[in-house]
Amino acid sequence: MTGEAAAFSWGRVWRAAYLPIMLTGAAVGAATPVAALRASELGADLRTAALIVALVGVGQLLGAVPSGALVARIGERATLVRAGALDAAALLVVVLAQDRWVLAAALLASGLASSAFFVARQGFMIDVLPPERLARGMSLLGGSMRVGFLLGPLVGAIAAHLWGTRGALAAAFVFSLGSVVLIATGPSLGRHDRGSGGPTPIGAVLRRHARTFLTVGTVALVIAGLRQSRSVLLPLWATFIGLDGARTSLAFVLAGIVEVAVVYPAGWLMDHRGRTVVAGALVAMVSTALVLLPAVGGFTGFALVASLVGIGNGFGSGILMTLGADAAPAADRAQFLGGWRLCGEAGNAAAPLVVTAVTAVASLSAAAWVLGGIGLVALPWV
């Protein structure tokens, strides 16, 4: 063990990294279930409300590459503060908006801020974590986000019960504001020397590492797409088989618990047995669960399939950040990470499109089989 690793303490980065990311996850968890409802309250029909909510993902996709350029220019800490402030301001606008298109613009801005936040956070963690503990550190970062995803809807549901949809959105704003306050007032443990001569143009960095993006980046796209399919397919299937809100929520809570439980063991495996075993397990489990989903017709079967997806997703906690950290060059790292995030966001954007297209021409069952089949076919490549 190196001297740096021996001196390392998880508590040292708790306030600087894990607690802020947990609050960010809570903000997302509180806002996501009610954003479409708020759009409907402001006069949007179902199709328009879906489009408005989708703008968060559009912002994340559009912001990926520019975020890398921003981090390269001003550094991780400054980007984290600015992106967190933009996200908090956007959520405040979401709370106060009285027009659906103002709401749409604010959600787009929140997505843009999210991209910058996560590119900067990944670079920050690469600086802070010893190589021997990189995967565990990244897994815990993803796990902290998942804890937030569990906390946010709980607090948001209470706030919505007391004050309506705007109450849940206000809770999301408070979580986001708390995150940026912790970042702004907490220790800066990352790299401070940005080098001299100005950052390399991001286009040149992306061209230089095109082979990595086309090979390992394809793995990131597949993993991100499978993860996103969970958020799209599972709620739709629960509705299709007639589960009420309480049983659907219970199944998701059970899946979330097992997901969080395997986060640290997965990071340990990545550090001690390599990334391949964890990435392969994630793809195999989630793909198998999607293939099995059309056979499910009741709560027990749905909860078991959702839990299998949760275990697979928990195994992959931090896997994309770890793979990106492994592949990132020492020079021009931020620009590379912007391109790397684009690979993941492309997968996030593709999965709902596949579900929509296949369901439109065939059925929801066919959509589950197609996505699960894509994962199983891609498994040897992964």
Side-chain angles (χ1 to χ4, degrees), residues 50 146 226:
R146 284 160 173 77
L226 287 173

Side-chain angles (χ1 to χ4, degrees), residues 39-128:
S40 298
E41 290 174 354
L42 295 176
D45 58 25
L46 186 60
R47 190 172 302 176
T48 303
L51 172 63
I52 288 172
V53 174
L55 287 174
V56 176
V58 172
Q60 291 172 339
L61 183 64
L62 294 177
V65 173
S67 295
L70 178 65
V71 174
R73 184 166 297 278
I74 68 174
E76 285 83 4
R77 170 71 176 269
T79 302
L80 285 168
V81 173
R82 286 162 173 76
L86 174 60
D87 185 54
L91 287 172
L92 180 59
V93 173
V94 168
V95 175
L96 301 176
Q98 297 298 318
D99 179 87
R100 62 184 181 274
W101 298 116
V102 173
L103 176 70
L107 290 174
L108 179 65
S110 180
L112 291 168
S114 175
S115 267
F117 187 91
F118 283 104
V119 169
R121 176 58 67 203
Q122 186 175 6
F124 175 89
M125 295 300 288
I126 293 171
D127 285 339
V128 169

Side-chain angles (χ1 to χ4, degrees), residues 229-239 252 293 302 305-306 309:
S229 67
R230 170 194 65 165
S231 302
V232 178
L233 272 172
L234 291 184
L236 289 175
W237 192 260
T239 301
F252 272 85
L293 185 63
F302 180 79
V305 168
V309 173

Side-chain angles (χ1 to χ4, degrees), residues 283-301:
V283 172
M285 283 189 278
V286 176
S287 299
T288 300
L290 295 179
V291 170
L292 293 175
L293 185 63
V296 168
F299 170 76
T300 301

